[in-house]
Amino acid sequence: MATRGADGSGQSPADPWAALEGDLVRALADALAARGVSATPEQVALQLDWSGSEHGDLAFPLHRAAKAVGRDPSELAREIAGAMPALAGLSPPRPVGAFLNVAAEPRDLAATTLRSIFERGPRYGHLDLAGARVCVEHTSANPTGPFHVGRVRNGIIGDTLTRVLRATGAPVTSQYYVDDVGRQAAMVTWIWSKPVAEWPEEIRAVLPAVDDPDERADRRLGRPYPAVSQYLKTHPEAAAEVQALSRALESGHPPARHHELVTKVLEGMLASLARVGIRFDELVWESRFLSSGEVDRVVERLAAAPHAVTEPNGAAAIDAGDYGLPKESARVIVARADGTTLYATRDVAYHLEKFGRFPRVIDVLGQDHHLHARTLEALLTEIGETRRPEFVIYQDITVPDSGGGRMSTRHGKAVYLDDLLDEAEIRARAEILARREDMAPDEVAQVARTIAASAVRYHILRVAPDKTVAFRWEDALSFEGRSGPFLQYSYARASSILRKADGDAGPWPFDVDRLATPPERALIKRLSLLPGVVARVARTTHVHALAGFAHQLAEEFNRFYESTPVIKAGEERASRLALVAAARQGLGNALDLLGLSPLERM
RNA sequence: GGGCGUGUGGCUUAGUCUGGAUAGAGCACCGGGUUCCUAACCCGGCGGCCGGGGGUUCGAAUCCCCCCACGCCCGCCA
């Protein structure tokens, strides 16, 4: 039963397992019902074990069902196995102990999976679900200077989540909320509004001996920021100037150079993020909510809220004691006595706008913003808003070499994204030159850049968001094992085979009977799971799971590669080439979803 | 003090939400593999009372309670 590759009927399922799972789950639910166990197909699906073992691809434990009807689980398993109808594409259920094991018919799975990949191409792994509009807000760092790695974790999680949600078919808008009116932005404008000669000595000391006007703006203009931050703590008159500047920004009267400065710094920061593939659909300027009057309306609504109070000095606040906030934070200040507002108040205005445009709103926040998230929720409740953002909270990146603690520019404990990438690039270049002496210099440079980006991005992406990451240079710069370059290497190997296959561009007709070795079947199985993983990651927002899956896929490909000749194969050649093409597509799609760049050669 | 999070082999970690059949990986270490499609790879080995104690359950890394350790947050900054 030879099965042709591309040019099929065009009706391949997005997920090769969808029909198999549906049939199995319904049959199991029926079989259970016939024996007095009521279970919906959904409940059965929830108990299905996808981990796979020597017994099969899917397992269903019967302990619970057996207990419900007071029977022996093994016996029930045997009985149901005997009573199940034959299901297309699946082996007959096999009882092992209290488990019912089912395997996909390998030839059918291969045919379905390869057809789906060839028909869908770059969209394999995408789901076509056409979900509701989603807004993913992430990064939103103050425009005060270059990104350190800790801050970039936000962007890497947010950008990957954006890609994955988009792959489910939902229209996704990514937003960077730019605070151009806060105290932090005011500090940058404050110092650069003065001629350098008039800067306080301790701030001027951080400038380089020779100013380089071509240096990227976030570095050049952001350089004095940590020193300014320190200086203001001990110089109240300077702090008062910044406070006055902050008021001017809020009232819509920024100094002449303010917007230019913020924009330049931000552009530099965005250029830095772009090095690891992070980009935004929209920049949302905080000042917009002030000038539009929306912040004023929020202040008015909060003044009329159930727990509105006025502080002794005239500040407007919300007594949030009922919201479970820590004692010291129970009073949420909405507006100072002089009428200026605070971050949380303005954030309410921003979120109201988001709710108006998007049915689903996701905020990616560092764990230090956890309390802010709860405050925001409290304020939304106070104005009678029932919609909520979904918060994706991630933990810090710490710097053990600097005595521990979270990465922070102000505390001088930061590893900058650019420095890390630069070092990664140097090392990548050395690796390339050591093995590809024929590669042209500009390709070497390009490939080194790409490898560096993938190493850094993957290194941060691979860890679960609620795990604190201790930054170590050697780990972040690894190109082996569980790393981005490993994924790219697998892709490059696949590309290399196809390139050398007589210049044959495919598509290769495949015969599933010629893809029967264990490494081939394992690779196909892994490829078939990509859509399901995308669906799960979109649901859980656990983007690190996709990173783990991509590594398994690459591992499976490498095992196949090492064990199975392709170009020199005999009658299996065309089928194996088809599998290589499919693996390359699957790997490439996984790389795209992770925000990593596939490489034809490296 | 209160809150949030974490604790799995020497190191980094998956699995924990939704309890299941011998807890998966990577690094390091030891031993193999390249006349052949890229060895940034593959194969094998070593190494785990899943922080501690109690409980629930046919079954606990996973659920509940207590304790310990570590990180972070608790500002009229953002």
Side-chain angles (χ1 to χ4, degrees):
Chain A
M1 186 185 74
T3 308
R4 293 259 320 144
D7 75 13
S9 61
Q11 294 302 317
S12 288
D15 181 350
W17 287 90
L20 301 178
E21 184 191 12
D23 290 350
L24 175 63
V25 153
R26 273 188 297 276
L28 278 170
D30 289 347
L32 289 168
R35 282 154 191 81
V37 184
S38 65
T40 64
E42 290 72 30
Q43 290 167 327
V44 171
L46 218 52
Q47 280 210 61
L48 260 194
D49 181 352
W50 285 80
S51 51
S53 69
E54 77 262 34
H55 302 304
D57 299 316
L58 296 166
F60 185 75
L62 282 156
H63 311 80
R64 202 170 307 183
K67 188 168 188 182
V69 291
R71 298 192 46 186
D72 174 65
S74 307
E75 184 200 305
L76 185 63
R78 280 193 297 276
E79 184 181 316
I80 290 183
M84 291 268 285
L87 298 173
L90 291 175
S91 69
R94 202 161 57 85
V96 179
F99 292 85
L100 219 46
N101 295 283
V102 180
E105 210 292 300
R107 293 149 69 251
D108 289 348
L109 183 64
T112 311
T113 302
L114 296 195
R115 266 206 300 268
S116 183
I117 293 174
F118 293 136
E119 276 176 27
R120 302 172 67 82
R123 296 189 52 77
Y124 179 72
H126 294 227
L127 303 172
D128 301 338
L129 296 179
R133 288 189 308 281
V134 186
C135 175
V136 178
E137 182 210 335
H138 65 88
T139 309
S140 301
N142 286 320
T144 54
F147 277 102
H148 61 65
V149 176
R151 277 297 202 182
V152 174
R153 190 176 190 187
N154 191 316
I156 290 173
I157 291 171
D159 186 73
T160 307
L161 187 56
T162 297
R163 291 165 189 264
V164 171
L165 290 173
R166 209 164 262 159
T168 65
V172 185
T173 303
S174 60
Q175 295 190 337
Y176 185 126
Y177 185 48
V178 187
D179 182 6
D180 56 338
V181 295
R183 207 173 111 87
Q184 274 74 8
M187 282 157 63
V188 174
T189 296
W190 174 75
I191 193 66
W192 285 105
S193 295
K194 304 172 185 298
V196 172
E198 292 174 21
W199 287 13
E201 181 50 41
E202 49 269 68
I203 298 177
R204 208 177 351 160
V206 305
L207 294 183
V210 182
D211 181 46
D212 173 11
D214 292 330
E215 189 182 21
R216 222 179 55 207
D218 56 324
R219 300 205 136 195
R220 193 165 88 100
L221 299 177
R223 187 164 285 117
Y225 174 77
V228 170
S229 180
Q230 283 304 317
Y231 183 81
L232 295 182
K233 285 180 189 163
T234 49
H235 295 77
E237 70 294 342
E241 284 181 39
V242 170
Q243 180 63 28
L245 183 51
S246 195
R247 269 198 297 276
L249 297 180
E250 172 144 2
S251 61
H253 302 290
R257 290 191 63 202
H258 176 69
H259 189 72
E260 179 204 335
L261 283 165
V262 171
T263 303
K264 275 187 176 170
V265 173
L266 184 65
E267 280 172 357
M269 293 168 72
L270 293 175
S272 186
L273 292 183
R275 293 182 72 183
V276 287
I278 298 170
R279 50 188 177 66
F280 297 88
D281 297 314
E282 296 179 3
L283 301 178
V284 180
W285 299 82
E286 190 167 6
S287 55
R288 182 153 66 72
F289 299 101
L290 287 160
S291 57
S292 71
E294 289 173 63
V295 172
D296 291 337
R297 274 190 288 281
V298 168
V299 172
E300 285 165 23
R301 290 173 72 179
L302 284 169
H307 296 91
V309 292
T310 303
E311 296 289 284
N313 70 356
I318 294 292
D319 182 351
D322 292 351
Y323 293 98
L325 301 176
K327 247 181 261 150
E328 293 78 358
S329 302
R331 279 291 155 86
V332 178
I333 304 298
V334 171
R336 301 183 185 89
D338 66 4
T340 57
T341 56
L342 286 95
Y343 167 56
T345 311
R346 290 176 240 132
D347 213 18
V348 171
Y350 175 33
H351 278 81
L352 292 179
E353 186 195 70
K354 288 203 263 192
F355 292 145
R357 290 178 59 195
F358 305 99
R360 187 177 182 194
V361 172
I362 297 175
D363 294 356
V364 182
L365 296 175
Q367 63 81 29
D368 55 328
H369 280 59
H370 193 101
L371 192 57
H372 169 69
R374 302 239 306 278
T375 304
L376 177 63
E377 288 178 326
L379 294 184
L380 289 170
T381 301
E382 283 291 300
I383 62 169
E385 174 57 61
T386 53
R387 288 169 293 188
R388 292 288 178 274
E390 292 167 48
F391 296 107
V392 174
I393 307 276
Y394 64 94
Q395 299 294 317
D396 295 314
I397 295 182
T398 60
V399 199
D401 295 343
S402 308
R406 56 193 292 253
M407 213 173 263
S408 155
T409 302
R410 275 179 295 190
H411 299 119
K413 292 189 297 193
V415 174
Y416 290 98
L417 176 62
D418 287 317
D419 295 334
L420 179 58
L421 286 169
D422 291 347
E423 178 62 24
E425 237 174 275
I426 289 166
R427 298 195 185 194
R429 190 172 296 114
E431 294 288 332
I432 298 162
L433 293 175
R435 50 194 106 196
R436 300 279 105 78
E437 62 282 339
D438 56 317
M439 200 181 272
D442 37 337
E443 188 181 356
V444 171
Q446 166 60 28
V447 169
R449 265 198 300 279
T450 309
I451 289 173
S454 86
V456 170
R457 180 159 173 146
Y458 190 92
H459 179 252
I460 293 170
L461 196 55
R462 57 197 260 268
V463 183
D466 47 15
K467 209 84 105 177
T468 303
V469 172
F471 182 86
R472 269 176 276 273
W473 281 92
E474 327 84 70
D475 295 346
L477 294 169
S478 169
F479 298 160
E480 295 172 2
R482 275 204 69 179
S483 73
F486 174 77
L487 305 184
Q488 294 174 306
Y489 181 65
S490 310
Y491 183 91
R493 280 179 138 186
S495 302
S496 176
I497 291 178
L498 298 177
R499 219 170 24 241
K500 293 186 176 173
D502 305 334
D504 186 345
W508 292 273
F510 62 89
D511 177 348
V512 293
D513 288 319
R514 300 198 188 284
L515 296 171
T517 66
E520 287 168 328
R521 290 194 166 169
L523 175 56
I524 291 164
K525 161 101 188 270
R526 194 65 65 180
L527 283 166
S528 74
L529 293 173
L530 176 62
V533 171
V534 170
R536 194 179 85 235
V537 170
R539 193 178 67 247
T540 60
T541 72
H542 286 171
V543 289
H544 70 285
L546 183 60
F549 174 83
H551 176 254
Q552 290 178 313
L553 178 57
E555 248 183 343
E556 223 68 82
F557 176 76
N558 281 311
R559 273 196 271 270
F560 159 79
Y561 181 97
E562 301 279 348
S563 63
T564 317
V566 177
I567 290 177
K568 294 199 164 86
E571 27 191 32
E572 302 92 349
R573 186 172 187 273
S575 296
R576 287 182 180 168
L577 280 168
L579 178 53
V580 172
R584 177 174 176 274
Q585 184 70 254
L587 275 166
N589 295 0
L591 283 162
D592 281 338
L593 288 166
L594 293 169
L596 311 179
S597 307
L599 279 173
E600 300 302 319
R601 309 202 304 153
M602 64 184 279

